[in-house]
Amino acid sequence: MEFASEKKQELLSKIARSDRHGEHSLYFDGWKAYDKNPFHPTQNPDGVIQMGLAENQLCFDLIEEWIKNNPTASICTSEGVGKFKDVANFQDYHGLLEFRQAVAKFMGMVRRGKAAFDPDRIVMSGGATGASETLMFCLADPGDAFLVPSPYYPAFNRDIRWRTGVQIIPVECHSSNNFHVTLAQMESAYTKAIEANINVKGVILTNPSNPLGITLSRETLTSLLSFTSRNNLHMVCDEIYSASVFNSPAFTSISEVMQETECNPDLVHIIYSLSKDMGLPGLRVGIIYSYNDQVVNCARKMSSFGLVSSQSQHLLASMLSDEVFIEKFLEQSSRRLAKRHSRFVKGLEQDRIHCLEGNAGLFLWMDLRHLMKESTFDAEMKLWRVILEDVKLNVSPGSSFHCPEPGFFRVCFANMDDHTVEVALKRIREFVSKGNENGDDKKLLQKKHRQNLNLRLSFTSRKCDEGLMSPHQRMSPHSPVPHSPLVRART
Amino acid sequence: MRLVVPLQGIVQGRGGLIIGSLIPCALIYFLRLHLKRHRGSLAPARVSSRAESIARPDKSPYYVGLDRVSRDPFDEVDNPVGIIQLGLAENRLCLDLIEEWLCENLNGAMIGHGGDKDHLGIGGIVEYQPLDGLMELKGAMASFMTQVLGRGISFDPSRIVLTAGATPAVEILCFCLADPGNAFIVPAPYYPGFDRDMTWRTGVELIPAHCRSADNFIPSISALDQAFNQARKRGKRVRGILISNPSNPMGKLLPRETIHNLLHFAQEKNIHIISDEIFAGSIHGNEEFVSLAEILDAGEFDKNRVHIVYGLSKDLSLAGFRVGVIYSYNDDVLAAAKKLTRFSSVSAPTQRLLISLLSDTSFIERYLETNRKRIREMYDLFVGGIKELGVKYVESSGGLYCWVDMSGLIRSYSEKGELELWDKLLNVAKVNATPGSACHSIEPGWFRCCFSTLSKDNIPTVIARIRKVAEMR
């Protein structure tokens, strides 16, 4: 018995039908282009280079070496298999004590001993994705709002809002002061929201910032923390890149600032994960660290929806408590990130492309305003399509980060090897010099625009048959490439 | 007094009007200023409404019991007077088989895939993976599900969404199928965890459809109808039925006819069916297990409304690894579930390990066979002990527990009487069994007793302790 398509739609919930999952964003469109034609140095040298995924692959060798040298940490080795039974059966949502202790110690080390973390406040979640969402479920009711400095990580739209019904109020930051968020901007956004009768529950800061790649200053954190405490607002700090800081100024965590500022600790919460700093996104380790007991209790119970695999907990309990290894890892990681960052910045400078002076994260915030004839988001999108389809680099346009000014792009640099870096820089050089030779970027963009009218990358217009993909292609996991023909989700 | 006089002055219309009105206004102004400045320090931090209730200790005997055991767990050597756990449906009977398999297959289990033998190839493990699960694991899982749910059924890997356990699988389906304020009908008694998993964050309400001992605890259409009408009267839109097969806490297998009736009912009311088949590999009796998938294969019913939940926590005892399955026949639900599972993805190394394990189909065959046998042994021993006590129970063919009728041991035939007995069992006998009221049973006196976390030697101890309470009446 077939259903008419309306009846079919009725069978789904509003959440399932909504597009608050955000996958129609250009941010994800670029990944789709990469998935269809991924670069490979020998098998597909003309493919798209993925520069839209903030992954840290620079220190895999260190992790590999550690695992090889510590066979007892894995239950899949003859030395470690004795622990298998206990580990496999362990599903207590408190998590293994050794795991929590190791995470607490690690977080303290990342903050150079300036803050100590209580293992009993460590709550697990399904990656930082799960941590952000769970924290929202704990702090806010549907319709409540959080102030978020923009530009911000695009997937917040999904993680903060989709199932929770929470709103995001962007606090626009500007190039005039290098996109640093100020107390004045925050207060102004807050006042406007209050006047519009929006129930503001708190502020979400990402520190170090994604996509800007900068650490927030102690002064900024102090003033914002005071602001939130004064107004009984929650301060949520996503510190997922806290150990990916490679230049000065050093990272200052909200956990340090709390000690020196008059504040209400019940309002302070940290989101963390091992996906970026340790380069272990596959382990799905998300952490909520809250100074509020109610939130810890509630989040812990909700962690049943996204517990970390006990196999991973067991492995990480050993790895993260190996202080000698962690010390070495953090130092090496910083060094390699600095080197990679510097190579890119220098390479781009040679083509007269400037980036925001960044000291952290796995990406650059690139300024391409000079390549656009008009300062509009339309022009930014056209430029983005040229970069994606002709230059074949998947960089992420600033508009997908809700950047208030057009012309900026986030470029990830830590998810590739040195050879790929050179290929990417070469392509950029060729693109820029071609533009200079023609002397008229507008013509190039106009030509592309005409071609692009038929090439609109849309979530539903593409069907991807997995069977046709060749073995060397690795699908980007965030890419919502459909595995079966889909009906377009309606709002 | 100094304030009252001017105020009286206003009321009586005499002089002092200005002072009488100025003073209260000034007071109010300064009070508001003070409050505004110190709002942060005076007001408590506001968490969400749901967090306020969830953060409080759960009063359900199911959770209270689990908590008590964790503080004072029985151990034959270290704590022989501790509380014996009969409240957790975990299977520890066959972990040794998997451990043995691991020892024999270590090379391929975790690292494998890509690169030469010397290179550990960890790059393929720790990177981001498709968040709804590796295609290889879906393939292996589809074959495994055929082995567990029914040999004649072929499962399509592209209809599988992998989740971090069956807990998020059920929640994700609720999010896909229902809006806040909607309802699901659940045949009762049911697994206490559903009250959390299906309602906490979804805003969905569960409406029990009561099953009776007279019907052998098989859900009847009249009970479902009653629940449906009850919902309608209260203005609640029912979006689906959630069934467990084998059922929890009774361990009954749904007969074919019942499954047909359920599918007819769902079609008639235009609602979904979620079939939680997580204990399908724990069939220890002689009855035939019939999965919803098998009935659907016959082609008679509309598949778009059927979704199966499965997981490895019970049948393979891998509760810690967090591996659950949503198997949906509805493309739209699949598409939505794939996006939602980003919040609950399976760890990549665990996926790699399972690809190896589940692909070894001859091992799996032996494992399932041995698992059934060992569960049967424990069931027989436990039931033998229960019979000695003169206590009745429901004969079951599936699950890791026994549904025991202790109504003969309670003082008053009521929920109060049942909870008094539960309390005695927990604090005097030091045995944690789950009372039926925690499972929404309307017939008092029933208890779920899980036997798969025990060793054979523990059973006489358990029976002796229960006897002590039985004789206390």
Side-chain angles (χ1 to χ4, degrees):
Chain A
M1 195 164 82
E2 279 294 333
F3 274 88
S5 103
E6 293 142 17
K7 253 199 155 173
K8 231 179 163 191
Q9 283 297 317
E10 260 176 38
L11 283 182
L12 288 183
S13 67
K14 292 195 188 98
I15 281 181
R17 286 181 268 137
S18 100
D19 57 8
R20 280 193 150 204
H21 48 74
E23 289 183 15
H24 300 311
S25 157
L26 291 181
Y27 183 69
F28 295 108
D29 268 0
W31 287 351
K32 288 172 217 163
Y34 165 76
D35 286 335
K36 287 177 192 5
N37 184 19
F39 170 81
H40 187 277
T42 50
Q43 293 175 25
N44 190 20
D46 292 325
V48 175
I49 297 180
Q50 172 66 290
M51 303 188 83
L53 180 59
E55 206 177 49
N56 185 352
Q57 296 180 14
L58 302 182
C59 291
F60 272 160
D61 57 316
L62 300 177
I63 303 274
E64 247 175 8
E65 200 191 324
W66 187 92
I67 292 182
K68 219 187 206 163
N69 295 336
N70 291 272
T72 48
S74 165
I75 50 173
C76 297
T77 58
S78 43
E79 296 89 333
V81 76
K83 288 277 179 183
F84 165 76
K85 274 194 217 155
D86 291 332
V87 168
N89 219 228
F90 182 84
Q91 60 169 332
D92 183 345
Y93 61 36
H94 289 80
L96 282 171
L97 177 60
E98 312 85 76
F99 169 70
R100 287 185 283 118
Q101 285 170 335
V103 171
K105 195 200 273 196
F106 175 73
M107 287 174 72
M109 283 182 75
V110 168
R111 288 152 185 77
R112 300 174 314 281
K114 300 231 174 106
F117 292 85
D118 176 0
D120 291 336
R121 290 193 176 283
I122 302 267
V123 172
M124 298 181 282
S125 60
T129 300
S132 310
E133 193 200 40
T134 298
L135 207 44
M136 289 301 108
F137 272 124
C138 293
L139 301 179
D141 294 316
D144 289 346
F146 271 78
L147 298 161
V148 184
S150 71
Y152 62 78
Y153 166 56
F156 272 164
N157 284 339
R158 172 194 67 208
D159 304 345
I160 302 295
R161 302 181 325 157
W162 192 14
R163 296 195 290 191
T164 60
V166 167
Q167 301 182 54
I168 290 181
I169 298 174
V171 179
E172 291 181 351
C173 301
H174 298 280
S175 57
S176 50
N177 73 333
N178 285 329
F179 294 100
H180 285 82
V181 64
T182 64
L183 176 62
Q185 284 164 334
M186 188 65 75
E187 281 181 327
S188 159
Y190 175 61
T191 308
K192 278 205 195 86
I194 295 293
E195 279 164 10
N197 268 325
I198 297 174
N199 190 26
V200 180
K201 249 4 220 306
V203 165
I204 304 174
L205 300 180
T206 305
N207 175 30
S209 158
N210 177 6
L212 303 173
I214 56 173
T215 48
L216 270 59
S217 70
R218 186 176 293 266
E219 294 71 40
T220 304
L221 285 170
T222 306
S223 65
L224 292 177
L225 180 60
S226 302
F227 161 75
T228 50
S229 264
R230 265 199 316 276
N231 292 290
N232 203 26
L233 300 173
H234 289 283
M235 165 60 83
V236 175
C237 278
D238 184 345
E239 301 193 340
I240 198 179
Y241 294 102
S242 48
S244 304
V245 179
F246 46 83
N247 279 332
S248 60
F251 170 67
T252 306
S253 164
I254 198 75
S255 52
E256 294 170 50
V257 169
M258 276 173 83
Q259 296 168 38
E260 309 152 358
T261 314
E262 201 182 310
C263 68
N264 181 356
D266 276 346
L267 292 168
V268 184
H269 324 275
I270 297 176
I271 292 169
Y272 191 57
S273 163
L274 299 180
S275 301
K276 313 293 183 183
D277 290 344
M278 294 296 291
L280 299 170
L283 298 191
R284 311 310 304 140
V285 180
I287 302 289
I288 296 171
Y289 191 92
S290 174
Y291 292 89
N292 180 320
D293 291 343
Q294 253 183 329
V295 173
V296 170
N297 280 325
C298 181
R300 185 183 288 133
K301 286 179 183 167
M302 288 184 180
S303 65
S304 302
F305 300 112
L307 291 173
V308 175
S309 162
S310 51
Q311 180 189 13
S312 306
Q313 289 187 51
H314 179 68
L315 177 77
L316 292 166
S318 293
M319 190 189 290
L320 298 180
S321 54
D322 184 344
E323 286 186 37
V324 170
F325 166 71
I326 293 297
E327 202 67 69
K328 173 177 159 200
F329 181 93
L330 293 177
E331 189 260 336
Q332 273 297 309
S333 180
S334 273
R335 196 179 294 189
R336 294 181 192 186
L337 284 171
K339 187 170 167 211
R340 178 59 66 83
H341 174 264
S342 164
R343 175 71 197 102
F344 252 104
V345 165
K346 289 207 174 81
L348 292 172
E349 292 282 346
Q350 282 170 355
D351 299 317
R352 286 181 292 131
I353 294 177
H354 302 296
C355 298
L356 184 70
E357 199 173 323
N359 66 323
L362 310 174
F363 29 73
L364 298 164
W365 188 236
M366 186 168 68
D367 182 354
L368 294 184
R369 288 177 294 179
H370 61 290
L371 293 183
M372 301 186 335
K373 284 292 168 184
E374 306 160 334
S375 176
T376 61
F377 286 109
D378 210 38
E380 178 186 285
M381 193 164 88
K382 288 179 191 145
L383 176 58
W384 173 70
R385 289 206 191 284
V386 169
I387 298 174
L388 185 63
E389 288 157 22
D390 289 352
V391 189
K392 296 227 180 61
L393 297 178
N394 177 31
V395 297
S396 309
S399 55
S400 61
F401 294 86
H402 304 273
C403 182
E405 295 173 36
F408 292 90
F409 293 78
R410 189 191 77 170
V411 181
C412 297
F413 56 70
N415 61 327
M416 56 186 74
D417 57 25
D418 292 331
H419 168 78
T420 312
V421 170
E422 298 308 320
V423 173
L425 287 171
K426 181 159 166 268
R427 289 183 187 182
I428 294 173
R429 175 148 317 128
E430 282 164 5
F431 168 63
V432 170
S433 48
K434 208 193 292 179
N436 290 338
E437 273 168 21
N438 289 346
D440 192 350
D441 297 318
K442 195 177 177 182
K443 266 194 214 155
L444 188 67
L445 290 171
Q446 277 176 344
K447 181 180 167 200
K448 280 297 135 192
H449 176 61
R450 280 194 294 275
Q451 288 175 353
N452 287 350
L453 287 174
N454 295 326
L455 277 173
R456 180 166 150 53
L457 285 175
S458 113
F459 185 48
T460 57
S461 62
R462 297 272 179 164
K463 286 184 190 178
C464 173
D465 185 347
E466 263 207 6
L468 292 179
M469 286 177 69
S470 45
H472 73 263
Q473 288 173 334
R474 185 170 73 82
M475 290 265 278
S476 169
H478 294 273
S479 163
V481 174
H483 293 185
S484 61
L486 288 174
V487 170
R488 187 193 181 120
R490 291 189 218 145
T491 326
Chain B
M1 239 4 238
R2 283 191 204 142
L3 287 175
V4 172
V5 169
L7 289 172
Q8 275 181 338
I10 300 170
V11 169
Q12 289 162 5
R14 284 180 288 153
L17 173 66
I18 291 172
I19 298 171
S21 51
L22 265 182
I23 290 174
C25 288
L27 280 174
I28 291 167
Y29 172 75
F30 283 116
L31 180 65
R32 284 182 74 177
L33 194 62
H34 173 80
L35 282 176
K36 205 174 167 191
R37 279 198 187 134
H38 298 277
R39 189 151 68 111
S41 50
L42 283 180
R46 308 163 293 153
V47 296
S48 66
S49 342
R50 72 171 72 69
E52 267 174 17
S53 62
I54 294 172
R56 282 182 227 125
D58 202 311
K59 294 209 176 87
S60 160
Y62 177 68
Y63 295 104
V64 170
L66 291 178
D67 188 54
R68 286 289 310 280
V69 175
S70 67
R71 290 171 206 278
D72 182 18
F74 170 82
D75 184 286
E76 274 182 80
V77 174
D78 297 328
N79 189 17
V81 299
I83 308 177
I84 299 182
Q85 177 69 289
L86 300 183
L88 200 53
E90 255 177 19
N91 184 353
R92 304 219 183 120
L93 305 174
C94 289
L95 276 171
D96 58 310
L97 297 179
I98 304 189
E99 188 181 328
E100 207 180 288
W101 179 92
L102 258 184
C103 289
E104 288 164 17
N105 293 272
L106 283 169
N107 284 333
M110 157 124 167
I111 309 297
H113 297 274
D116 43 274
K117 277 195 186 138
D118 296 327
H119 184 70
L120 287 175
I122 198 174
I125 296 168
V126 294
E127 291 169 338
Y128 279 110
Q129 316 286 331
L131 287 165
D132 61 320
L134 291 167
M135 209 49 207
E136 286 162 289
L137 180 53
K138 290 186 191 184
M141 185 65 75
S143 311
F144 177 65
M145 283 168 72
T146 299
Q147 286 180 286
V148 173
L149 301 184
R151 275 173 212 297
I153 314 168
S154 120
F155 289 93
D156 176 359
S158 70
R159 294 203 164 281
I160 289 178
V161 171
L162 293 171
T163 60
T167 299
V170 169
E171 195 202 34
I172 286 171
L173 279 173
C174 285
F175 269 116
C176 289
L177 306 178
D179 298 319
N182 291 162
F184 266 84
I185 297 177
V186 189
Y190 61 78
Y191 162 56
F194 284 153
D195 287 324
R196 290 184 167 187
D197 304 347
M198 293 178 73
T199 72
W200 260 1
R201 309 192 306 184
T202 60
V204 159
E205 189 181 319
L206 300 187
I207 306 205
H210 296 287
C211 306
R212 297 175 188 278
S213 50
D215 295 329
N216 227 353
F217 294 101
I218 301 294
S220 67
I221 295 304
S222 55
L224 290 169
D225 253 326
Q226 202 173 31
F228 191 87
N229 291 332
Q230 194 192 1
R232 207 169 38 183
K233 266 190 215 138
R234 291 172 49 213
K236 295 256 163 207
R237 184 178 167 193
V238 173
R239 295 311 282 267
I241 314 170
L242 170 71
I243 57 174
S244 303
N245 180 26
S247 66
N248 181 1
M250 295 80 70
K252 304 297 288 181
L253 306 186
L254 291 185
R256 259 176 220 278
E257 195 191 331
T258 306
I259 300 179
H260 279 250
N261 291 341
L262 288 165
L263 284 164
H264 275 301
F265 181 84
Q267 211 148 284
E268 187 201 331
K269 306 288 185 198
N270 193 23
I271 59 179
H272 293 270
I273 296 193
I274 302 175
S275 181
D276 182 352
E277 302 188 351
I278 202 177
F279 289 102
S282 307
I283 310 293
H284 51 77
N286 298 322
E287 275 177 82
E288 184 203 14
F289 171 72
V290 180
S291 162
L292 233 72
E294 188 181 320
I295 305 291
L296 286 179
D297 252 11
E300 199 186 318
F301 294 95
D302 171 42
K303 291 181 177 177
N304 268 300
R305 56 180 79 258
V306 180
H307 324 277
I308 296 176
V309 167
Y310 187 62
L312 302 183
S313 301
K314 314 292 181 186
D315 295 343
L316 282 187
S317 313
L318 301 175
F321 287 2
R322 314 311 302 148
V323 184
V325 176
I326 294 173
Y327 189 89
S328 177
Y329 294 88
N330 183 316
D331 290 342
D332 298 333
V333 171
L334 269 182
K338 274 181 194 168
K339 297 187 184 86
L340 286 170
T341 199
R342 286 155 197 277
F343 300 104
S344 327
S345 296
V346 184
S347 150
T350 302
Q351 292 193 58
R352 294 280 171 201
L353 167 56
L354 289 168
I355 289 168
S356 295
L357 181 68
L358 297 181
S359 302
D360 190 342
T361 47
S362 59
F363 164 75
I364 293 292
E365 202 64 56
R366 283 193 321 270
Y367 174 92
L368 290 173
E369 187 60 48
T370 312
N371 188 37
R372 284 188 205 110
K373 223 183 277 179
R374 291 185 187 179
I375 297 175
R376 182 75 205 185
E377 277 168 11
M378 291 301 290
Y379 172 83
D380 283 342
L381 270 172
F382 187 79
V383 151
I386 290 292
K387 277 192 207 151
E388 273 174 36
L389 289 174
V391 167
K392 287 182 284 201
Y393 64 94
V394 162
E395 282 233 18
S396 64
S397 292
L400 307 171
Y401 34 77
C402 188
W403 187 232
V404 178
D405 182 2
M406 299 210 209
S407 56
L409 304 180
I410 61 182
R411 284 204 198 144
S412 70
Y413 188 68
S414 62
E415 186 180 322
K416 184 161 175 272
E418 177 187 286
L419 290 173
E420 275 171 12
L421 177 59
W422 167 71
D423 190 82
K424 269 196 225 136
L425 286 170
L426 189 62
N427 293 307
V428 176
K430 300 199 91 182
V431 159
N432 176 39
T434 305
S437 49
C439 306
H440 302 270
S441 165
I442 49 169
E443 296 175 26
W446 291 89
F447 285 77
R448 185 187 80 165
C449 301
C450 302
F451 49 75
S452 50
T453 50
L454 305 171
S455 65
K456 289 182 190 164
D457 309 329
N458 299 147
I459 294 196
T461 316
V462 169
I463 301 298
R465 288 188 185 191
I466 300 177
R467 177 171 287 121
K468 210 166 52 169
V469 162
E471 286 165 359
M472 263 172 73
R473 282 178 309 133

